[in-house]
Amino acid sequence: MDSMKLRNLALAIALLTAAALPATAATFEKLTLPVPVQTAFGINHDGSRLSANFGGTIYIYENGVWTPIGQASPGYASCKMSADGSTIVAVVTDSLGGTLPVIFRESEGWAPDVLEPPAQYQRCDFNRVSPYSLSGDGSKLTGILWDYCDAKCF
């Protein structure tokens, strides 16, 4: 058998073997929540750590335990976690009700870091900055920055 046929046969066997392997089935784990209010969840890459916003308190769920780490705004169901589980972003409001992202980093003891927009950007109603997602290691944040009612992506 020539090398091309042998290579094709080996490739076909590998593909058939991979297709025959059972896929990992999704499972459900019922969690006991610390408070019965509206929630928003984030999850790390392997599911070992969750973040949640329960009525304005940010919690981390790990090893079966909910631990409160900080405060956010209760009216905004936003709570995202980086893939590595080291960073959480949620929403707080300023004194006029404008939305701002608040970042909690494990490396900083989960201390809140509120991100204020540059001074030249003006709010649109109550929208100032809307966070949407974090990079895998939590070093980058994406979202919308409002300049009056003109949305700017960041």
Side-chain angles (χ1 to χ4, degrees):
M1 189 178 274
D2 70 12
S3 64
M4 181 63 87
K5 286 182 183 178
L6 187 58
R7 185 187 67 126
N8 288 343
L9 178 62
L11 181 60
I13 291 172
L15 289 173
L16 288 173
T17 302
L21 294 174
T24 303
T27 60
F28 293 92
E29 179 181 344
K30 186 175 189 291
L31 304 177
T32 302
L33 305 180
V35 290
V37 296
Q38 177 185 8
T39 61
F41 290 97
I43 190 167
N44 71 341
H45 70 94
D46 66 3
S48 64
R49 182 180 264 185
L50 299 174
S51 63
N53 180 347
F54 292 109
T57 300
I58 303 298
Y59 285 83
I60 288 186
Y61 180 82
E62 192 170 32
N63 299 319
V65 177
W66 288 105
T67 305
I69 63 161
Q71 295 297 305
S73 293
Y76 293 89
S78 177
C79 190
K80 307 293 185 194
M81 178 177 271
S82 60
D84 67 4
S86 68
T87 308
I88 297 168
V89 65
V91 174
V92 294
T93 52
D94 63 16
S95 62
L96 299 173
T99 58
L100 299 169
V102 58
I103 296 179
F104 301 91
R105 291 183 180 89
E106 185 174 27
S107 64
E108 297 173 8
W110 300 114
D113 181 14
V114 177
L115 300 179
E116 294 280 346
Q120 70 267 24
Y121 291 92
Q122 300 299 312
R123 73 179 66 243
C124 174
D125 298 325
F126 292 106
N127 292 311
R128 293 193 71 197
V129 183
S130 303
Y132 287 111
S133 190
L134 287 164
S135 62
D137 66 358
S139 64
K140 307 255 185 319
L141 172 66
T142 64
I144 300 287
L145 172 67
W146 295 96
D147 187 14
Y148 292 99
C149 289
D150 187 22
K152 311 285 186 188
C153 297
F154 68 90

